[in-house]
Amino acid sequence: LTGFAADLGGTKIAAARIHAGEVAERLIAPTDPAADPDAQLVVIKGLLDLLGHDSGAPLGVAVAGRVDAEGMWHAVNRGTLHAIGDFSLRDGLSRHLGPATSLNDAAAAALAEGLFGAGTDSAGFAFITVSTGVGGGLVIGNRLLSSGNGLAGHVGFVSSRFASGPCGSGRMATVESIAGGRGIAAAAAAAGYEGRDARAVFDAAAEGQDWAGRIVDSSAHAMASLIGDLTTILGLDTVAIGGSIGLAPGYIDRIRLALTEEPELFRPRVVAARLGHDAPLIGALAAHLNKER
Ligand code: ADP
């Protein structure tokens, strides 16, 4: 696995030179969420140029948002990158950088974890990231599950009996709306703790404050129920959890505890993701090289 990769997120843009499956060099720039897609690609090109990329070298690009089979890029959550509109990422990349493969960042991370990280021994694998929102990807028989509209794997938008509020997807009462950072902050405000973000809620829970412990537990229960549902559909044996909330101390243990309420058949192994910030980069390049083969 050798080539180049970029990862365009809501807060930062990363670009990397990858050698033999490892990130050899990485550069980071802040994302301007108001910039149009062409301007974002110019930033990516600037970083890749510094890393020695030239047109024609293998390149995978992971992005926040949904990328369909025609390479069109759509904002799923208008709160993250509101200037995307519906843009041909395939044409844009080819204009600025040459041939490249683009896909959703969580899907890319799932592919990397499935092939080289927490899911190497798995035949039915899901990666779920819990951060500002909840995203993911599904790797079944070592292949990333993808769909023409690019929606496959957006597991945060599954309904949850633990939720009741609105979700950035436009759906109601989703896993993301209760388990993600935005949902946790909204639950804190509703409990009378206005202005607390997810990190503050986790800190309060660690200090033994009941209101906060209940909110973190609802998040973990929604995740356990989602894992049970996905296992029903896909026969998962392993689920890796990532993201700033997913990897917060004690969170995976809370998911495992909540999962004991499910019958054994619906309880896959739940483990921490292993590749961290490298995952979307490595997965994007892997997706590109898989496509070329
Ligand atoms: P992102 O991962 O989306 O780039 P951040 O890591 O800054 O951005 O934060 C995403 C979400 O994770 C926020 O809701 C934030 O409050 C929460 N968060 C960050 N660090 C922690 C932590 N140590 N414990 C719990 N929640 C955290």
Side-chain angles (χ1 to χ4, degrees), residues 118-147:
T120 40
D121 301 329
S122 171
F125 175 75
F127 164 76
I128 308 177
T129 172
V130 191
S131 184
T132 308
V134 175
L138 306 158
V139 181
I140 309 301
N142 290 323
R143 289 172 63 99
L144 180 68
L145 194 73
S146 65
S147 62

Side-chain angles (χ1 to χ4, degrees), residues 9-12 129-133 180-182 184-185 196-203 243-249 277:
T11 56
K12 62 180 188 314
T129 172
V130 191
S131 184
T132 308
R182 260 189 231 108
I184 288 173
R196 310 281 182 106
D197 65 4
R199 186 196 290 261
V201 174
F202 272 71
D203 288 347
S244 323
I245 291 174
L247 297 175
H277 295 302

Side-chain angles (χ1 to χ4, degrees), residues 259-284:
L259 206 53
T260 60
E261 294 165 20
E262 296 273 346
E264 198 180 339
L265 188 57
F266 304 92
R267 274 187 241 157
R269 219 158 52 94
V270 178
V271 298
R274 278 203 219 137
L275 304 177
H277 295 302
D278 291 347
L281 294 164
I282 291 173

Side-chain angles (χ1 to χ4, degrees), residues 82-292:
H82 37 84
I84 304 176
D86 292 337
F87 175 81
S88 175
L89 199 49
R90 182 178 297 165
D91 292 350
L93 284 169
S94 124
R95 253 182 290 121
H96 290 279
L97 288 154
T101 298
S102 52
L103 74 169
N104 170 262
D105 48 8
L111 182 61
E113 290 287 349
L115 297 182
F116 312 114
T120 40
D121 301 329
S122 171
F125 175 75
F127 164 76
I128 308 177
T129 172
V130 191
S131 184
T132 308
V134 175
L138 306 158
V139 181
I140 309 301
N142 290 323
R143 289 172 63 99
L144 180 68
L145 194 73
S146 65
S147 62
N149 63 7
L151 187 60
H154 281 76
V155 297
F157 305 145
V158 169
S159 299
S160 180
R161 67 178 187 277
F162 298 96
S164 57
C167 169
S169 62
R171 299 197 79 202
M172 285 298 294
T174 61
V175 173
E176 173 164 308
S177 73
I178 184 86
R182 260 189 231 108
I184 288 173
Y193 297 86
E194 194 75 45
R196 310 281 182 106
D197 65 4
R199 186 196 290 261
V201 174
F202 272 71
D203 288 347
E207 285 166 9
Q209 297 184 36
D210 278 348
W211 67 272
R214 276 195 297 275
I215 291 173
V216 174
D217 244 12
S218 295
S219 169
H221 269 88
M223 287 291 291
S225 168
L226 170 64
I227 289 167
D229 288 350
L230 293 174
T231 300
T232 305
I233 301 168
L234 298 160
L236 303 180
D237 57 66
T238 308
V239 177
I241 308 293
S244 323
I245 291 174
L247 297 175
Y251 186 74
I252 290 178
D253 285 335
R254 285 194 197 238
I255 296 177
R256 290 187 182 128
L257 188 64
L259 206 53
T260 60
E261 294 165 20
E262 296 273 346
E264 198 180 339
L265 188 57
F266 304 92
R267 274 187 241 157
R269 219 158 52 94
V270 178
V271 298
R274 278 203 219 137
L275 304 177
H277 295 302
D278 291 347
L281 294 164
I282 291 173
L285 179 58
H288 181 74
L289 295 173
N290 281 347
K291 210 185 261 178
E292 283 198 326

